[in-house]
Amino acid sequence: MDIITALSTQLKLQEAAATGLAGGLLLLIEDIVREKASFAAAACIREAVPEMRDWQMSSPTLAPGMLSLASLPSAHPLAGDGAEMISVLGRFGVDAGEADLAASLMLEFLASRLSPANLAVLVTAMPSLR
């Protein structure tokens, strides 16, 4: 599965934004798996998606001093990883209502790259991908 094309087409993003979004979402997924499952499980994601680092490097970052309380998004009613995913989507101008679609695309992509056992660990650690 070509996740960049899928994100670009389904979420109506430019290719560069879709690349950054893929990197940002994979970083979030990796962090949550590391926190809730294990470092080894998170490492499996990085091994299965070697292009992940390049995608993450293309993801926009904030310049020092650009973040203030007024610029922070308001709290979202979802808790946990769902809210974190919405935050990543927001960085790329993707509406929170597209979170389920983005999660579905990421799950489909990771299912094409991970073993069934590793995929099960990922879904257990991050239920918002179901």
Side-chain angles (χ1 to χ4, degrees):
M1 171 185 192
D2 180 354
I3 189 63
I4 305 302
T5 300
L7 289 170
S8 178
T9 303
Q10 296 290 320
L11 299 176
K12 297 170 182 48
L13 295 172
Q14 297 286 332
E15 186 175 327
T19 301
L21 179 58
L25 289 174
L26 285 167
L27 179 61
L28 172 65
I29 293 166
E30 181 186 36
D31 286 348
I32 289 171
V33 169
R34 183 180 305 111
E35 179 183 314
K36 293 184 177 181
S38 69
F39 184 82
C44 288
I45 296 169
R46 192 160 291 272
E47 289 171 14
V49 188
E51 59 270 55
M52 183 170 137
R53 178 172 163 73
D54 291 336
W55 295 347
Q56 290 169 346
M57 297 301 290
S58 73
S59 186
T61 58
L62 294 174
M66 293 299 295
L67 186 63
S68 68
L69 289 177
S71 67
L72 291 174
S74 59
H76 194 276
L78 287 177
D81 59 10
E84 292 179 59
M85 179 174 277
I86 288 170
S87 177
V88 172
L89 292 171
R91 287 178 46 205
F92 295 89
V94 177
D95 185 72
E98 301 288 356
D100 287 342
L101 175 58
S104 173
L105 292 171
M106 293 309 295
L107 181 60
E108 183 180 346
F109 171 69
L110 289 167
S112 74
R113 298 284 186 106
L114 295 172
S115 71
N118 288 332
L119 187 63
V121 169
L122 181 144
V123 171
T124 300
M126 193 169 178
S128 66
L129 288 181
R130 290 189 182 145

